Amino acid sequence: MNMPAIKTEPATAIVTHAAAPVATPVVTMTPKRPPRAEKYSKMVKDTAVRVVPPLIVIALLMLFWELVCQRAGSTLPPPSRVFKDTKELIFDPFFDRGGIDKGLFWHLSASLQRVALGYSIAAIVGVALGTLVGQSVWAMRGLDPLFQVLRTIPPLAWLPLSLAAFRDGQPSAIFVIFITSVWPIIINTAVGIRNIPQDYRNVAAVVQLNPLEFFGKIMIPAAAPYIFTGLRIGIGLSWLAIVAAEMLIGGVGIGFFIWDAWNSSHISEIILALFYVGIIGFVLDRLIAGLGKIVTRGTSAG
Amino acid sequence: MQAYLKLDHIDKTFTRGNASTEVLKEINLTIDKGEYVSIIGHSGCGKSTLLNIVAGLTDCTNGCVLLENREVNSPGPDRAVVFQNHSLLPWLTVYENVRLGVDKVFASSKTRSERDAWVMHNLNLVQMAHAKDKRPSEISGGMKQRVGIARALAMEPKVLLLDEPFGALDALTRAHLQDSVMALHQKLGNTILMITHDVDEAVLLSDRIVMMTNGPSARIGEVLEVPLARPRKRLELATNPGYLKCRQRVLEFLYERHRFVEAA
């Protein structure tokens, strides 16, 4: 961008450059800062560019949905009906009339608690097993085929077995979350550990880090980008699995809320619940991605 | 006088399945304390393998490495390595990279504040104290290598091993860094073993140049003393007959008697 400007008047450029240090007294050049209003308007503009297009698309889809479902005899309610039917649920998510007759907040928080517990166990076990498989050739030979088979089993197929083992819905749901999300964490961690450059291992050897220090100071940071890829896939899968699992085990939870709404033909409530499930899944994904970004700062660049 | 570092009848054979390749054969070398020795040879002659054996990162098939008359066969901070591609940990700052080694080596002999001061002292030696809070991705290649040198020096090694330390740098940065290493050697009196494939670099920096024959079964072909007084000045040496003679000897060895044979 600068090139043409320099080329057009090379003589003047050189002259001023040479003369400047000799003749001119110190000229204070305060960098001109853009006025605050300008900065804000730029920020608003940037936000608008990202927010407006999806809003337009959503509005169009809503309109389409409204038009399609407004006819008499349509099986699904249009958005206006959904809003009218679920107003109470939207504006009062905190009510609690005992049993499973609670606000959506309680259902969602129950589901999130199960996910948090199952996913945390999966993260710890996944990173530990992944490290083992990544580090030891024998562990990989022994365990990898097992993992490859087990990971293809659909989450819900585990549910009857875990119900038989735990004889209770709560731990069974948590187990299903765990077993669903642990595989991508294991596999990605193992790949990350296997890909640690020999240079880093040499450094650790020369400095004589013990195995524990090597794990904490070299392995985990070096494999962090891979680990977080696994964690991100895992959180998505566990949120997928929880809704299905809760439909079957019952009790408080967004999955059973949907099932219950279906049984009492409250289609609008199902749609509202789906909306929340989608938003929360999105937030969880962003959360792990953001965490990964903070933790792996600087790791990827050599 | 007892040798400080002694490579005693070292052979190295790599075996994969049934095929085995003899890389090094009968390497004997003694290095005195404070000496600067370079190993030069064509690529693939096993000079990096030799350095890794001294560092303890690779086991030798026969023979042994003696440091102050004690056998060393595992890596340790007494033989700190400056790696060719700097090998700084990208998730640590410059300071933390140096501190990692210092914390291990001086865990019991220095207090926290002493270790901190020692890290800064070593960063100052290589003129990198100003960048202590930067990450490796934020500094130039030459600066990274400086930090790599500081990390190695900070472990107070008995022998400093340099594995083609300037190979990945541009010519100007390389010259600058060579001067820095010479100054450090002058000041600290380290014993240094350096791998290089640059004739000028070898003659400029070394007290002795070890020339390796081509592999497989590379041996030490010739050892050349460089009888130039220190401190050496790059510009003055350019016309110094002693320098030119040494340079000529190394060039003859590499390009006439042991010309690099392309693997067919």
Side-chain angles (χ1 to χ4, degrees):
Chain A
M1 289 297 267
N2 284 330
M3 289 302 280
I6 291 169
K7 265 186 191 159
T8 46
E9 28 183 11
T12 45
I14 289 164
V15 168
T16 46
H17 197 80
V22 190
T24 42
V26 180
V27 180
T28 45
M29 296 264 286
T30 39
K32 218 173 145 192
R33 263 200 293 172
R36 197 158 282 186
E38 214 170 279
K39 214 169 91 187
Y40 282 132
S41 80
K42 191 176 176 306
M43 238 162 71
V44 168
K45 217 170 163 184
D46 286 350
T47 320
V49 165
R50 281 201 292 166
V51 170
V52 170
L55 281 181
I56 293 172
V57 172
I58 290 169
L60 286 174
L61 282 176
M62 289 288 216
L63 189 71
F64 175 71
W65 175 11
E66 183 77 43
L67 290 175
V68 170
C69 294
Q70 226 170 18
R71 292 173 295 121
S74 81
T75 48
L76 295 177
S80 52
R81 261 273 302 290
V82 171
F83 182 72
K84 216 166 66 196
D85 290 349
T86 59
K87 228 194 261 169
E88 192 204 359
L89 284 170
I90 295 172
F91 292 115
D92 184 14
F94 298 109
F95 73 86
D96 185 354
R97 298 195 199 104
I100 56 162
D101 191 7
K102 295 176 198 289
L104 271 172
F105 171 81
W106 301 109
H107 287 289
L108 286 167
S109 91
S111 299
L112 279 173
Q113 274 171 30
R114 291 188 184 111
V115 167
L117 194 56
Y119 178 71
S120 303
I121 300 171
I124 294 165
V125 172
V127 171
L129 273 178
T131 306
L132 179 70
V133 171
Q135 185 67 358
S136 148
V137 177
W138 281 105
M140 188 189 77
R141 285 182 190 155
L143 291 171
D144 196 55
L146 206 66
F147 291 163
Q148 298 299 343
V149 172
L150 288 180
R151 79 190 175 92
T152 62
I153 298 174
L156 279 191
W158 290 101
L159 191 60
L161 191 67
S162 57
L163 276 170
F166 295 113
R167 306 197 170 276
D168 187 11
Q170 184 72 0
S172 304
I174 291 166
F175 175 76
V176 168
I177 298 303
F178 162 77
I179 206 79
T180 311
S181 54
V182 78
W183 309 117
I185 302 176
I186 292 177
I187 291 167
N188 279 284
T189 304
V191 172
I193 298 285
R194 230 171 285 149
N195 282 349
I196 295 176
Q198 186 60 38
D199 294 337
Y200 299 169
R201 295 179 188 274
N202 285 348
V203 169
V206 169
V207 178
Q208 287 190 321
L209 296 179
N210 63 40
L212 203 67
E213 289 167 323
F214 181 63
F215 177 76
K217 290 185 175 167
I218 310 279
M219 272 188 172
I220 293 299
Y226 291 90
I227 294 175
F228 271 95
T229 307
L231 289 174
R232 217 175 137 187
I233 299 171
I235 195 77
L237 288 181
S238 56
W239 190 239
L240 289 181
I242 188 67
V243 174
E246 281 175 349
M247 282 185 175
L248 295 178
I249 61 164
V252 179
I254 193 67
F256 188 68
F257 175 86
I258 293 173
W259 194 244
D260 195 38
W262 159 244
N263 281 333
S264 34
S265 302
H266 292 150
I267 308 298
S268 299
E269 289 182 7
I270 297 178
I271 292 168
L272 179 71
L274 291 189
F275 174 74
Y276 276 125
V277 168
I279 292 290
I280 288 182
F282 175 75
V283 169
L284 287 177
D285 182 65
R286 292 280 110 194
L287 217 64
I288 300 292
L291 191 67
K293 218 175 205 170
I294 294 169
V295 172
T296 62
R297 197 168 10 115
T299 309
S300 39
Chain B
M1 182 179 161
Q2 278 289 351
Y4 190 61
L5 176 71
K6 186 175 166 83
L7 314 188
D8 199 6
H9 295 88
I10 288 182
D11 298 332
K12 175 69 189 174
T13 308
F14 283 111
T15 312
R16 164 168 288 185
N18 294 327
S20 65
T21 327
E22 189 173 47
V23 181
L24 296 170
K25 190 169 171 62
E26 277 283 308
I27 304 289
N28 287 299
L29 184 64
T30 56
I31 296 172
D32 293 333
K33 193 168 184 175
E35 209 179 2
Y36 196 128
V37 175
S38 294
I39 298 178
I40 195 165
H42 291 291
S43 70
C45 76
K47 50 192 193 306
S48 281
T49 307
L50 184 59
L51 189 102
N52 281 344
I53 289 172
V54 177
L57 296 168
T58 308
D59 291 327
C60 53
T61 315
N62 288 311
C64 62
V65 178
L66 297 165
L67 180 61
E68 290 185 309
N69 281 324
R70 288 170 61 179
E71 181 174 3
V72 284
N73 49 17
S74 62
D78 54 347
R79 283 153 290 130
V81 186
V82 177
F83 297 95
Q84 178 174 10
N85 51 359
H86 67 76
S87 297
L88 298 179
L89 304 176
W91 53 88
L92 299 180
T93 62
V94 162
Y95 174 88
E96 288 164 341
N97 263 293
V98 179
R99 180 79 187 241
L100 183 71
V102 170
D103 275 347
K104 275 306 278 186
V105 177
F106 302 105
S108 52
S109 56
K110 279 186 160 71
T111 64
R112 283 184 80 82
S113 58
E114 278 171 345
R115 292 202 293 260
D116 171 68
W118 179 242
V119 171
M120 290 316 294
H121 170 73
N122 280 283
L123 283 175
N124 270 317
L125 279 180
V126 296
Q127 293 127 41
M128 283 303 296
H130 62 92
K132 74 183 185 78
D133 293 323
K134 292 220 164 99
R135 284 174 198 277
S137 55
E138 296 164 338
I139 58 179
S140 71
M143 288 170 146
K144 282 178 204 165
Q145 204 49 281
R146 282 177 187 276
V147 178
I149 293 169
R151 175 172 63 183
L153 284 176
M155 292 184 236
E156 267 191 342
K158 290 178 177 153
V159 180
L160 189 59
L161 303 172
L162 310 181
D163 187 2
E164 297 188 24
F166 317 118
L169 304 174
D170 64 271
L172 291 175
T173 313
R174 187 185 309 164
H176 199 56
L177 220 54
Q178 285 165 350
D179 291 342
S180 294
V181 167
M182 264 199 291
L184 285 171
H185 180 231
Q186 193 76 19
K187 187 171 170 185
L188 305 173
N190 306 83
T191 309
I192 301 181
L193 181 62
M194 178 175 81
I195 303 292
T196 183
H197 50 229
D198 181 330
V199 176
D200 291 297
E201 178 173 294
V203 179
L204 177 66
L205 295 177
S206 325
D207 296 316
R208 272 192 299 156
I209 301 172
V210 175
M211 293 172 254
M212 307 260 303
T213 64
N214 283 326
S217 306
R219 293 169 292 105
I220 292 179
E222 197 178 324
V223 179
L224 177 71
E225 297 268 351
V226 182
L228 298 171
R230 288 179 188 273
R232 296 172 183 170
K233 294 261 164 34
R234 180 183 303 278
L235 285 175
E236 293 166 15
L237 284 179
T239 51
N240 181 316
Y243 174 85
L244 293 174
K245 217 169 100 186
C246 290
R247 197 169 173 278
Q248 188 63 25
R249 282 281 294 279
V250 179
L251 285 173
E252 271 171 18
F253 179 90
L254 289 177
Y255 297 105
E256 277 183 19
R257 280 181 285 158
H258 296 276
R259 182 192 291 274
F260 181 57
V261 188
E262 287 286 343

